[in-house]
Amino acid sequence: MNDKNNPQFRSENLNGLLQVVSQKLGIPPEQLRRELESGKFDSAMKNMSSADAQKFQQAIRNPQLVEKLMSAPQAKELYRKLSGGK
C-alpha cells in the first residue's frame, strides 16, 4: 500500500529523490544523504549556480516552504518524471 504515512513509503520516496538529486548534482547519494542529515551542503552548493545556491539557502531556512513546495502537484509530477515514472 502506498500510504504516504507509511514509513517505508516515505523512505522509498526519500531514497528515490536522493538518487535523482545526486545524479543532477554529480554527488554520490550516500554523500548527499550524510551532508543533508548533518546540515552541511558544501558538495551540493558547489555544483549549483550562484542563483540556485541562493534559492536553496533561502529554502532550507524555511522548512514550511520546503514542505509546501514538495507537496505541490508540480513537484510531485516533476519527481515522477525524474524518477522514471515510478
Side-chain angles (χ1 to χ4, degrees):
M1 179 172 168
N2 285 345
D3 178 7
K4 68 179 181 177
N5 294 322
N6 180 329
Q8 182 178 358
F9 178 73
R10 288 190 306 238
S11 178
E12 290 171 5
N13 281 344
L14 179 60
N15 289 334
L17 186 58
L18 281 170
Q19 288 288 334
V20 171
V21 173
S22 69
Q23 287 176 355
K24 297 290 180 187
L25 295 175
I27 303 169
E30 300 80 22
Q31 180 183 351
L32 180 59
R33 178 187 288 271
R34 282 192 308 272
E35 288 187 12
L36 292 173
E37 287 175 348
S38 68
K40 297 179 183 178
F41 308 103
D42 300 336
S43 294
M45 302 271 301
K46 74 178 181 181
N47 291 326
M48 293 181 186
S49 70
S50 60
D52 287 343
Q54 184 178 8
K55 289 176 188 174
F56 179 74
Q57 284 290 340
Q58 290 173 338
I60 61 173
R61 291 186 188 118
N62 187 345
Q64 292 83 15
L65 176 61
V66 173
E67 181 67 31
K68 183 178 177 181
L69 291 172
M70 294 304 295
S71 63
Q74 296 90 341
K76 291 177 182 179
E77 179 63 18
L78 178 61
Y79 173 76
R80 188 188 66 75
K81 286 179 181 178
L82 292 173
S83 64
K86 294 180 182 176

